Amino acid sequence: MSVQTLYTAATGMEALQTKLDVIANNLANVNTTGFQKDRANFEDLFYRTEKVPGAPDSDGTPTPTGIQVGLGTRVSSIQTDFRQGALLQTGRNLDVAIQGNGFFQVIDPGSGDTLFTRAGHLDINANGALVIGSANVGRLLEPSITIPPDATEVSIGADGSVDFRQPGSDTLSNAGQLQLAVFQNPDGLLKLGDSLYAATDASGTATPDVPGTNGIGQLRQGALEASNVEPVQELIDLITTQRSFELNSQTVQAGDQILQLVANLRRF
C-alpha cells in the first residue's frame, strides 16, 4: 500500500526533525554554564495486523509468526543527561561549581517560587545578598546569605559554609550555609530557560541538605561547571540524523513513483 508508505515515512521525518531541534539546542548551548544536554528517544507506532502470531494453519497448528506491518515512529521522550560537566577554573571568589549531584536553590522574585540551577556564577546585590549573576533578574539564593559591605574576602567551603573577612581582622566570620537540593527523578524537572528548573510531580519534591552529605555533591570555589555537551558526538548525531531524514524522504519519493505508475496503467 503505497499510500501508507507516504504516511509512515512522514512520521519518521517528523520525529527526526524533532531530534534535529534537540541537537541544535545542544550545540547552541555548548558554552552555557551548567547546561545539561538532551537526548531524543523514539518509539514505534501501531501495527497493521494481517495475521496474528500463533494463528492456526490449515492443519490447526499454531503458526510460529504472523504478519504485522508497522505504521511509523514518534518521539517518546526527551531525556536530560545530568552527568557532570567539566570544571573550569576561573579564580573568581564568587564562582562556585557543583562537583556531583545537586542544584542551587534560588527564589524567583515574581512568583516567590523556589527554582533550581547548576549555574554557580554568583554575585552580591545592592543589599549585600548573594544572588545568581544575571543582567535580567536578581534571584536570591536560598537560604539567604548576606555579606557585609566592608568584607574584603569571601570564602566558600566545599561543605557550603560561607565566610568573610573584614578589615583589621585576622579571623573569618561566618555568613551562612549554602545548601544543595536533590530530586528522586531529575528527569522530571521542568526546564524554564535561564538555566533554571522547577520541581514537578514527576521529579518529586526537593530534598535540600549540606553539600558533601547524603550523596550530595561538594562545592568548589573559583570554578564553574561547563556544559556537558560533547560537540564531536553531537556532530556525528547531526550527520546520522540528516542521512536518516534523507532516507525517509526517498521512501516518500518511491511511494509517489509507485502511485504514479499505478495511475498511468490505464494508458497502456
Side-chain angles (χ1 to χ4, degrees), residues 8-249:
T8 299
T11 65
M13 296 171 69
E14 183 176 3
L16 289 167
Q17 185 175 355
T18 300
K19 182 178 181 180
L20 186 62
D21 292 338
V22 172
I23 294 173
N25 184 62
N26 287 341
L27 289 173
N29 286 280
V30 71
N31 289 318
T32 300
T33 301
F35 179 79
Q36 312 293 301
K37 66 179 180 179
D38 294 323
R39 181 190 66 192
N41 300 320
F42 300 96
E43 63 184 7
D44 50 356
L45 297 177
F46 294 111
Y47 283 78
R48 185 179 75 244
T49 301
E50 299 179 2
K51 189 172 185 180
V52 178
D57 60 13
S58 58
D59 298 330
T61 304
T63 56
T65 185
I67 301 176
Q68 293 182 289
V69 180
L71 303 181
T73 185
R74 67 181 175 189
V75 176
S76 62
S77 65
I78 296 178
Q79 289 181 299
T80 303
D81 185 351
F82 283 100
R83 285 181 294 179
Q84 177 79 51
L87 298 186
L88 303 178
Q89 300 298 324
T90 66
R92 181 174 177 268
N93 285 340
L94 294 179
D95 285 343
V96 185
I98 301 174
Q99 191 169 12
N101 297 326
F103 297 85
F104 293 108
Q105 304 174 94
V106 297
I107 302 298
D108 183 70
S111 63
D113 295 335
T114 301
L115 304 177
F116 308 91
T117 183
R118 295 275 301 184
H121 45 281
L122 307 182
D123 217 327
I124 301 175
N125 67 10
N127 298 321
L130 284 182
V131 296
I132 296 295
S134 171
N136 299 317
V137 181
R139 296 184 175 93
L140 295 171
L141 283 181
E142 173 65 26
S144 178
I145 297 176
T146 301
I147 306 296
D150 61 345
T152 59
E153 179 185 348
V154 177
S155 174
I156 302 176
D159 62 351
S161 60
V162 180
D163 299 317
F164 61 91
R165 190 189 307 276
Q166 292 177 299
S169 176
D170 295 331
T171 60
L172 294 175
S173 302
N174 184 259
Q177 172 71 50
L178 287 175
Q179 292 186 342
L180 298 179
V182 292
F183 295 88
Q184 183 69 26
N185 175 31
D187 280 338
L189 290 170
L190 178 64
K191 302 178 183 68
L192 302 176
D194 293 339
S195 298
L196 296 171
Y197 301 87
T200 67
D201 292 339
S203 67
T205 58
T207 304
D209 210 335
V210 176
T213 62
N214 298 322
I216 297 179
Q218 294 182 326
L219 301 182
R220 178 173 294 184
Q221 186 179 20
L224 290 174
E225 180 186 7
S227 166
N228 67 354
V229 174
E230 300 173 7
V232 174
Q233 184 61 50
E234 295 298 323
L235 290 175
I236 292 174
D237 289 344
L238 177 62
I239 293 172
T240 57
T241 301
Q242 182 180 3
R243 294 296 176 262
S244 299
F245 192 95
E246 290 176 358
L247 290 173
N248 278 274
S249 66

